[in-house]
Amino acid sequence: MVTAVQTRKKPELLAPAGDLDKLKFAVMYGADAVYIGGEKFGLRSKAGNFSYEKIKEGVEFAHRHGAKVFVAANIIAHNEDFTGMEEYFQTLYKIGVDAVIIADPAIIEICAMAAPELEIHLSTQASTTNWQTLKFWAEEGVKRVVLARECTMDEIHKIKENVNIEVESFIHGAMCISYSGRCVLSNHMTNRDSNRGGCAQSCRWKYDLFEDGEDGMEPISPDDDSYTMGSKDLCMIEYIPDLIKAGVDSFKIEGRMKTIHYVATVVNAYRRAIDAYYEEPENYRFNEEWMEEILKAANRPITTGFYYHTPTDVDQIFGTPPKVAQFDFAGIVLDYEENTGIATIEQRNRFAIGQEIEMIGPKRDRFEQKITQIWDEDGNEISVANTPLQRVRFKVDRPVNAYDIMRKRK
């Protein structure tokens, strides 16, 4: 029997790509689409943003593997920010970019005039939380709206009941303490504009609390704890069925500044969860291994954000945060020899003989083993790989493939 869920189009899994390597790993580990930043007009000025040449290479790689590429041009523009904008969008269209993500209405208008065939997605920076606003943007020719992170699951249901437009929602990653990222803390504290790509993440700094006492300002932080204003990270891996039933068209992972290990691990976990649900919706069971994988790449404790309730102190990081089980990204598999069982690894963090490691890949389950021998590129036996990007070889217990990742417990 075919269920209603199985006849509904499977939601897109959209991954961050801070540079070309991350784009390739995101695609190989199961992303249906990736979003990147060009060298202009985006909100991640410190990411490894893409030149036109890199965008072209990324688009060609993604398209060969059946994935799409979206480019973020989601600054809130000042007068001086518009120079070269028409040419920028025209070039992106010629390269073959699948869509651009824009927040500012003036930039949307410029893009629509300069490159009318280039698909426009409304950025989460536009703070969209209701179906009437989505209806307005649909009539303006916007193909998709990235909802504000403040939207609840009930509100998403209501939106999809009233508007025939694609909806994209964040399902994983960092949460901004300010409404839809519209923050001026960074501007005041560091003269770096959050809404033009320069956020210094002032909310993640450690602060002490003081009150005006008889002898001046007196500290009131209990137990000498330092406090942040930061949220726990969003994680919806356990609630894939709810997101699908709400009608979300694209599941978005945050993290263009994160590592290859983070991108590959998180994308892989969500890919498996989504596919498992569509295989047997009526018999779907959450696999705890998916959460274990997520936590191995986690930077902070996790929360469901605004989806089910208004966040409280439980969803914020106060005092000393609880420890999150983390692994170090140790290396990337470049090659594997079937006849010898020996893999060539590009080192990303120090590892040595006798160390327990894990190997993960997009097309198989992870496995653990101990390193017993290591050879350098010249065939010399060595005891430790401690040079960045060093290429070494050692025997693995099971077959591996290029793009597989090696990690070690911290």
Side-chain angles (χ1 to χ4, degrees), residues 177-314:
I177 196 65
S178 295
Y179 199 96
S180 293
R182 292 173 176 265
C183 179
V184 294
L185 283 177
S186 179
N187 301 56
H188 283 290
M189 293 180 174
T190 67
N191 198 31
R192 287 167 50 182
D193 191 341
S194 302
N195 296 301
R196 296 162 87 190
C199 182
Q201 297 196 30
S202 304
C203 60
R204 302 291 185 187
W205 299 355
K206 290 185 178 181
Y207 296 89
D208 290 315
L209 303 181
F210 293 83
E211 63 181 353
D212 192 4
E214 293 181 2
D215 299 321
M217 300 301 291
E218 298 176 355
I220 59 174
S221 299
D223 304 321
D224 295 321
D225 274 341
S226 294
Y227 285 72
T228 74
M229 291 180 282
S231 167
K232 295 178 180 178
D233 281 1
L234 179 66
C235 177
M236 291 293 288
I237 188 75
E238 295 181 89
Y239 305 97
I240 294 298
D242 290 356
L243 292 161
I244 292 171
K245 291 171 185 175
V248 176
D249 299 283
S250 179
F251 292 178
K252 188 169 193 173
I253 297 167
E254 182 275 339
R256 278 193 282 149
M257 302 288 285
K258 302 289 178 58
T259 65
I260 286 174
H261 176 229
Y262 170 91
V263 171
T265 300
V266 173
V267 169
N268 197 31
Y270 278 97
R271 177 78 278 154
R272 293 186 176 204
I274 295 166
D275 291 348
Y277 182 76
Y278 270 82
E279 284 174 9
E280 289 189 273
E282 304 302 323
N283 298 313
Y284 175 80
R285 294 290 183 273
F286 178 73
N287 187 336
E288 291 294 338
E289 184 179 310
W290 302 332
M291 180 61 80
E292 290 174 14
E293 285 294 293
I294 290 288
L295 293 178
K296 286 177 180 179
N299 296 286
R300 305 178 186 96
I302 57 175
T303 174
T304 55
F306 288 81
Y307 278 107
Y308 299 105
H309 65 271
T310 300
T312 66
D313 59 297
V314 175

Side-chain angles (χ1 to χ4, degrees), residues 62-82:
H63 287 179
R64 279 200 307 272
H65 292 86
K68 296 181 178 180
V69 176
F70 309 146
V71 175
N74 53 347
I75 62 168
I76 304 300
H78 289 237
N79 291 326
E80 63 269 24
D81 291 325
F82 290 92

Side-chain angles (χ1 to χ4, degrees), residues 269-373:
Y270 278 97
R271 177 78 278 154
R272 293 186 176 204
I274 295 166
D275 291 348
Y277 182 76
Y278 270 82
E279 284 174 9
E280 289 189 273
E282 304 302 323
N283 298 313
Y284 175 80
R285 294 290 183 273
F286 178 73
N287 187 336
E288 291 294 338
E289 184 179 310
W290 302 332
M291 180 61 80
E292 290 174 14
E293 285 294 293
I294 290 288
L295 293 178
K296 286 177 180 179
N299 296 286
R300 305 178 186 96
I302 57 175
T303 174
T304 55
F306 288 81
Y307 278 107
Y308 299 105
H309 65 271
T310 300
T312 66
D313 59 297
V314 175
D315 302 286
Q316 305 302 117
I317 300 176
F318 290 126
T320 303
K323 291 182 179 180
V324 179
Q326 290 192 355
F327 279 63
D328 266 335
F329 174 28
I332 297 170
V333 175
L334 300 179
D335 192 21
Y336 172 70
E337 300 170 1
E338 289 188 23
N339 58 328
T340 63
I342 292 176
T344 301
I345 307 290
E346 183 178 82
Q347 187 260 35
R348 292 304 175 96
N349 267 302
R350 180 188 186 279
F351 57 89
I353 288 175
Q355 194 151 25
E356 293 281 352
I357 60 161
E358 280 190 356
M359 304 293 291
I360 65 169
K363 297 182 174 66
R364 57 165 180 75
D365 294 331
R366 68 174 186 258
F367 67 89
E368 301 174 7
Q369 73 165 77
K370 182 179 288 187
I371 299 175
T372 57
Q373 285 180 294

Side-chain angles (χ1 to χ4, degrees), residues 74-117:
N74 53 347
I75 62 168
I76 304 300
H78 289 237
N79 291 326
E80 63 269 24
D81 291 325
F82 290 92
T83 303
M85 203 171 278
E86 295 93 339
E87 180 185 358
Y88 182 71
F89 290 124
Q90 290 167 351
T91 303
L92 294 184
Y93 176 69
K94 291 175 184 175
I95 287 173
V97 166
D98 297 280
V100 287
I101 306 167
I102 306 176
D104 194 308
I107 299 178
I108 289 175
E109 186 173 41
I110 288 171
C111 179
M113 290 189 298
E117 300 301 317

Side-chain angles (χ1 to χ4, degrees), residues 24 42 127 256:
K24 292 178 179 179
S127 312
R256 278 193 282 149

